[in-house]
Amino acid sequence: MHKQSEKNLLPVIKDVGCFFLSCINMIELKYGVKIVSSRINMLWDQCKYIGCIDNDNKILDSAMVMNELLFFLDIKDRFIEIATKNNGVINYYPYVEKYHKEWKNEKKYYIQKILTEYDTTHFRIVDDNENIIFDTLDNLPKVKKVLYTIVYINK
């Protein structure tokens, strides 16, 4: 599991990489693998190149980040973002409601976005009850507000 303070990470990942590293850590948790820092740095560059990270270093498609890593590891599964969770209520995306209602019964994985005491946003991995499983920061900020939680399944 990786923290933003890890010395061999790119400076940009150390600075704004909480969402990116949460995606990497999700794969490590799910599959019991260890991803080295050099591979994380290469994945960052790859994700920028293919467009799932924009020029402002914002993640545009977090499932794609995870799936790029799965492809590299030769794991045939994929992560799919299916909903957001607000105030404990899961709001499924319209395509799930229309085409994939069975996905509602799948095991779910969560990355939560919070507003910190410093009025900055931060991402971390949480469980069904929104308890922290892993955070990329060494010193956890106080939570001013939970903005939303992204809900994924793994197929």
Side-chain angles (χ1 to χ4, degrees), residues 2 7 13 17 24 32 36 45 58 60 78-79 91 120 122-124 129 132 144 146:
H2 300 276
K7 74 175 188 169
I13 297 173
I24 304 301
V36 296
D45 291 339
K58 292 187 175 36
L60 301 177
R78 65 190 171 116
F79 275 84
N91 302 298
T120 58
H122 179 64
F123 290 87
R124 67 231 186 132
N129 298 315
I132 299 171
K144 197 171 190 179
V146 172

Side-chain angles (χ1 to χ4, degrees), residues 22 33 36 38 49 59 63 66 75 83 86-87 103 118 122 131-133 137-138 151:
S22 291
V33 296
V36 296
S38 60
Y49 179 76
I59 304 285
M66 290 186 271
I75 296 173
N86 296 10
N87 299 318
W103 287 356
Y118 310 111
H122 179 64
N131 298 308
I132 299 171
I133 293 176
L137 294 176
D138 293 316
V151 182

Side-chain angles (χ1 to χ4, degrees), residues 13-143:
I13 297 173
K14 290 180 179 185
D15 187 37
V16 297
C18 57
F19 195 8
F20 180 75
L21 285 178
S22 291
C23 294
I24 304 301
N25 291 332
M26 184 78 76
I27 300 298
E28 288 190 342
L29 275 171
K30 166 79 174 142
Y31 295 96
V33 296
K34 176 69 174 151
I35 311 303
V36 296
S37 298
S38 60
R39 180 62 208 146
I40 292 171
N41 294 338
M42 289 188 315
L43 182 64
W44 176 272
D45 291 339
Q46 172 70 11
C47 288
K48 294 238 355 163
Y49 179 76
I50 63 174
C52 54
I53 300 175
D54 71 11
N55 289 333
D56 293 324
N57 298 315
K58 292 187 175 36
I59 304 285
L60 301 177
D61 189 334
S62 56
M64 186 184 286
V65 170
M66 290 186 271
N67 293 334
E68 279 295 308
L69 182 54
L70 289 174
F71 178 78
F72 170 78
L73 295 170
D74 200 29
I75 296 173
K76 304 298 183 215
D77 294 350
R78 65 190 171 116
F79 275 84
I80 304 165
E81 184 178 330
I82 63 165
T84 56
K85 186 176 181 182
N86 296 10
N87 299 318
V89 177
I90 295 177
N91 302 298
Y92 290 95
Y93 297 146
Y95 74 90
V96 174
E97 292 290 352
K98 187 169 183 176
Y99 300 110
H100 298 288
K101 287 185 182 180
E102 72 280 4
W103 287 356
K104 293 180 181 184
N105 299 320
E106 301 269 343
K107 177 171 174 38
K108 294 170 184 64
Y109 301 86
Y110 306 91
I111 296 178
Q112 185 179 73
K113 183 177 185 180
I114 62 168
L115 181 65
T116 72
E117 62 188 310
Y118 310 111
D119 287 326
T120 58
T121 58
H122 179 64
F123 290 87
R124 67 231 186 132
I125 299 173
V126 297
D127 65 13
D128 290 350
N129 298 315
E130 302 191 16
N131 298 308
I132 299 171
I133 293 176
F134 191 79
D135 197 300
T136 61
L137 294 176
D138 293 316
N139 299 311
L140 302 183
K142 290 182 182 167
V143 176

